[in-house]
Amino acid sequence: ETNKVTQNSRVRVNPGQRISLDGVIVKGIATVDQAPITGESLVVDKKVGDKVYAGTINGVSAFEFKVSAINEETTLAAIIKVVEQAQSNQAPIQRFIDKFSGIYTPIVLAIAVVVAMLGPFMFEGDWLEWIYKALVLLVIACPCALVISTPVTVVSGLTAAARRGILIKGGVYLERARHISWLALDKTGTVTSGKPALVDYLEMTSGTRLRLKQLALSLSQQSDHPVSNAISQALVKAGYQVQNVDNFEALLGAGIRGEIASQIYYMGNTALAASLNIISLEQLNRLKNYEEQGKTLTLLMSQKHILAMFAVADRVKQSSTQAIADLHSLNVRTMILSGDNQPTVDAVAKHVGVDHGFGQLLPADKLEKIQQLQETSLVAMVGDGINDSPALAKSDIGFAMGALGTDLAIETADVVLMDDNLAKIPMFIRLSHKTRRILVQNICFSITLKVLFLTITIAGYGDMWMAVFADVGASLIVVANGLRLLKIQF
C-alpha cells in the first residue's frame, strides 16, 4: 500500500500494472505507457536510471524502482493540486437579466403605488379607478416574459447540444463560447486516435513484398510491444500468413530476433541496425525523412542487409482536419499542446492545419501556455488525459473527450464531447451564436412590448385584457422563440 511505502523504498512492478509512485528504475528494463501523464502517443522504453511516474502503466516486463516521491509529492498529486487551484481562480458570471430584473421590479412597484395614490390625493379621483389603473400598470410591466426568456432559451440550447452528444455543465459556458479566440488542443486521443497504426512501408532490398511482409508478420506476432502489435495487426488484416519462428529473443530497448527457415532475422530500430553494422549513411538520411514526420520506424533485417522499413504512427482522426478548418472559419485560432516529441507534433499540426504546435510539454507547461493566452484572449482547451486537467481547469472553457477521457479530465472540464469528435466544437460555438441571437430577440421583444402597452396605458387607453395579453402573450411568444433552438441546425 502506498501509505506504507517510504522514500527510497524499492518497489517491484509486474507487467500490466499501474505504477503507484514516482521513482527511478534500479533493476530491469521496461516499456511504459506515459500517455496519462505526459500525453506521449507511443510507449517509452525505460532502463536503469530512468524516471517513472505515478499513474503510468507498465508494459510487458517486470522491473524494480526506488521511490523518489510519495503520496502528495508525486507528479500525479501535483497535477491534481494544480487543477484545484485553477478551478478556484475562475470567477462566477452574473447574468445581466438577473441584475436588470432586481432593479426593474422594485421601481415598477414604486410607480404603481404612486399611481394608486396620485389620483385620489392630487386629483380627488375615485380610489377603485386609480387602484385598477395601478393594477393594469403592474400586470403590463410585470417582467415575467423578460425573466423567463433567458432560462428557457438557455435550457433549449443545452438540450439541443445534449441531443448531439455535447454535454454542457451550465448555461454560462454556452453563452461564453461565442467569444472563444483560441482553442488549445491536446494531440494524443484528441486530434489523433491515440492508438499506434502502420502508416508506411518501404522496401529496401530486391526481395518480394509478399516474402518480406510474411517475415515481418511472423516476427512481430511473437512480441507484445505496441509497435509490433500495430505492425502484426495491419499485416494480418491484409491477409499475410505466419511462418514458424525458432529461437525467438526479445532484445530489450532495441528490437527482436528469430530464425525463420534456418535464417536469422531482426526487427528493431536504427540503433540495432547500427550495432549490426548494416546501415549506411545514405539509408540513415533516407529514414530521417520519415522520423521527421513523427513516425516510429521498425526495420526488418537479415544479418547482412536491411530488408524493409515499417513506419508506425498515431493516426490523425478523419474529423480533425475539417474541424480545424471550421474553427478557422469562425475566427478561432488553434494550437496543439502535447507531451509528445516536437517533430511528431509539428507533423500532426501541419497535417490538420493547426496554427501552432508545441511539444514536450509537462502539465504545468500546458497550464502556463493557457495563462499566457488568457492575458489577451478568451481561451478554450480540449483534452482527454490527466496531464490535460490543469489546463482544462484554468481555461475559460474546458472540453473533455467523453469516451476516451480520464475521469479527472471529464470531472474538470466544462463541456464533455461524448463521441470524441472535434467537429462538435465548431458546432457548439455556432450554437452559442444562435443562442445569443435568440436571447437578444426575446429581450428586445419583451421590452418593446412592455414600453408599447405602458404608453397606451398612460395615454388612457389601456385596460386589463391588454395588460394580460402584454404579460401572458409576451411570455408565450418568448418561450416559443426560445424553443426554436431544438429544431435549428447548427
Side-chain angles (χ1 to χ4, degrees):
E1 297 179 11
T2 56
N3 61 347
K4 295 181 180 179
V5 177
T6 60
Q7 194 90 2
N8 296 322
S9 295
R10 286 176 66 124
V11 178
R12 177 181 173 86
V13 183
N14 292 320
Q17 284 188 333
R18 188 177 296 273
I19 299 169
S20 56
L21 297 167
D22 287 4
V24 178
I25 294 180
V26 293
K27 182 179 179 181
I29 299 176
T31 56
V32 180
D33 180 2
Q34 297 190 153
I37 300 297
T38 65
E40 291 166 287
S41 54
L42 296 175
V43 295
V44 180
D45 292 325
K46 299 281 187 176
K47 61 183 185 300
V48 172
D50 289 342
K51 291 183 178 180
V52 291
Y53 303 105
T56 57
I57 302 169
N58 185 25
V60 297
S61 59
F63 68 92
E64 292 182 11
F65 72 93
K66 183 171 68 174
V67 175
S68 61
I70 57 174
N71 298 333
E72 67 277 358
E73 298 174 359
T74 65
T75 302
L76 179 60
I79 292 173
I80 294 172
K81 184 177 180 180
V82 171
V83 170
E84 293 172 348
Q85 292 173 342
Q87 286 178 319
S88 65
N89 289 335
Q90 289 188 330
I93 297 179
Q94 295 181 321
R95 296 185 185 279
F96 164 76
I97 293 299
D98 290 340
K99 290 183 178 181
F100 179 82
S101 61
I103 300 170
Y104 172 82
T105 302
I107 292 175
V108 169
L109 284 171
I111 292 173
V113 170
V114 170
V115 169
M117 304 290 289
L118 187 67
F121 283 108
M122 294 191 64
F123 305 108
E124 297 183 355
D126 182 67
W127 277 95
L128 290 177
E129 180 183 349
W130 283 93
I131 290 175
Y132 177 81
K133 288 182 178 181
L135 289 173
V136 170
L137 178 64
L138 274 178
V139 173
I140 290 175
C142 177
C144 291
L146 190 62
V147 173
I148 202 173
S149 63
T150 299
V152 167
T153 303
V154 170
V155 169
S156 296
L158 297 177
T159 304
R163 288 179 174 179
R164 292 162 175 81
I166 307 170
L167 302 185
I168 309 169
K169 298 181 181 179
V172 63
Y173 306 112
L174 179 60
E175 296 177 46
R176 189 185 294 172
R178 63 193 179 89
H179 296 298
I180 293 175
S181 299
W182 278 95
L183 177 68
L185 307 102
D186 175 48
K187 181 186 73 67
T188 306
T190 302
V191 178
T192 64
S193 65
K195 298 178 181 179
L198 180 63
V199 294
D200 265 317
Y201 167 74
L202 177 65
E203 293 176 11
M204 302 181 71
T205 184
S206 58
T208 64
R209 174 172 298 192
L210 173 62
R211 176 175 171 271
L212 295 178
K213 289 194 173 182
Q214 283 184 338
L215 290 173
L217 173 59
S218 303
L219 286 171
S220 61
Q221 278 212 331
Q222 305 297 315
S223 172
D224 292 325
H225 195 284
V227 173
S228 295
N229 290 340
I231 295 172
S232 64
Q233 287 173 10
L235 296 180
V236 167
K237 189 175 181 180
Y240 291 96
Q241 301 298 314
V242 179
Q243 295 177 271
N244 291 329
V245 178
D246 298 317
N247 300 320
F248 177 81
E249 182 183 359
L251 309 173
L252 292 177
I256 53 180
R257 173 187 181 278
E259 291 183 22
I260 301 175
S262 300
Q263 296 292 321
I264 297 175
Y265 295 97
Y266 299 86
M267 284 190 74
N269 52 29
T270 53
L272 177 59
S275 68
L276 295 172
N277 199 29
I278 59 173
I279 189 168
S280 66
L281 182 60
E282 179 185 353
Q283 288 173 324
L284 276 173
N285 290 333
R286 191 177 182 186
L287 296 175
K288 186 178 179 182
N289 293 329
Y290 291 92
E291 291 179 330
E292 289 175 349
Q293 297 172 28
K295 299 170 182 176
T296 299
L297 307 187
T298 298
L299 305 177
L300 173 65
M301 300 165 279
S302 67
Q303 289 181 297
K304 296 182 179 180
H305 303 286
I306 298 176
L307 306 178
M309 181 276 295
F310 296 84
V312 171
D314 187 7
R315 287 186 184 275
V316 172
K317 293 179 182 177
Q318 292 183 352
S319 59
S320 295
T321 303
Q322 184 59 49
I324 299 301
D326 289 345
L327 287 165
H328 289 166
S329 71
L330 293 168
N331 297 318
V332 177
R333 301 185 69 187
T334 54
M335 67 165 57
I336 290 177
L337 303 180
S338 176
D340 215 338
N341 62 79
Q342 190 63 50
T344 300
V345 173
D346 290 338
V348 172
K350 182 179 180 180
H351 181 81
V352 299
V354 169
D355 295 308
H356 301 286
F358 298 95
Q360 296 174 306
L361 301 180
L362 293 174
D365 300 323
K366 293 185 179 185
L367 177 61
E368 184 180 352
K369 290 286 185 184
I370 295 295
Q371 290 173 323
Q372 290 173 357
L373 290 174
Q374 283 179 319
E375 294 177 2
T376 56
S377 308
L378 190 142
V379 184
M381 169 74 188
V382 55
D384 69 323
I386 296 172
N387 60 309
D388 302 316
S389 299
L392 287 172
K394 185 60 181 175
S395 62
D396 297 290
I397 301 179
F399 295 89
M401 295 298 192
L404 293 177
T406 61
D407 291 342
L408 182 58
I410 294 172
E411 179 70 23
T412 304
D414 307 308
V415 181
V416 180
L417 309 178
M418 295 308 297
D419 60 355
D420 297 339
N421 188 346
L422 279 181
K424 295 296 175 68
I425 296 180
M427 185 184 296
F428 174 66
I429 295 173
R430 287 193 291 268
L431 174 62
S432 177
H433 283 285
K434 291 182 184 294
T435 302
R436 172 68 176 182
R437 284 197 291 269
I438 289 180
L439 278 172
V440 171
Q441 290 171 9
N442 284 343
I443 292 169
C444 291
F445 173 78
S446 300
I447 294 175
T448 301
L449 196 65
K450 298 295 182 184
V451 171
L452 175 63
F453 278 91
L454 279 173
T455 304
I456 293 173
T457 302
I458 292 171
Y461 299 104
D463 53 23
M464 189 57 74
W465 75 264
M466 282 189 178
V468 172
F469 174 77
D471 181 39
V472 178
S475 297
L476 292 175
I477 289 171
V478 298
V479 167
N481 193 40
L483 292 175
R484 288 194 306 119
L485 279 173
L486 298 176
K487 300 294 183 182
I488 289 177
Q489 298 297 318
F490 51 90

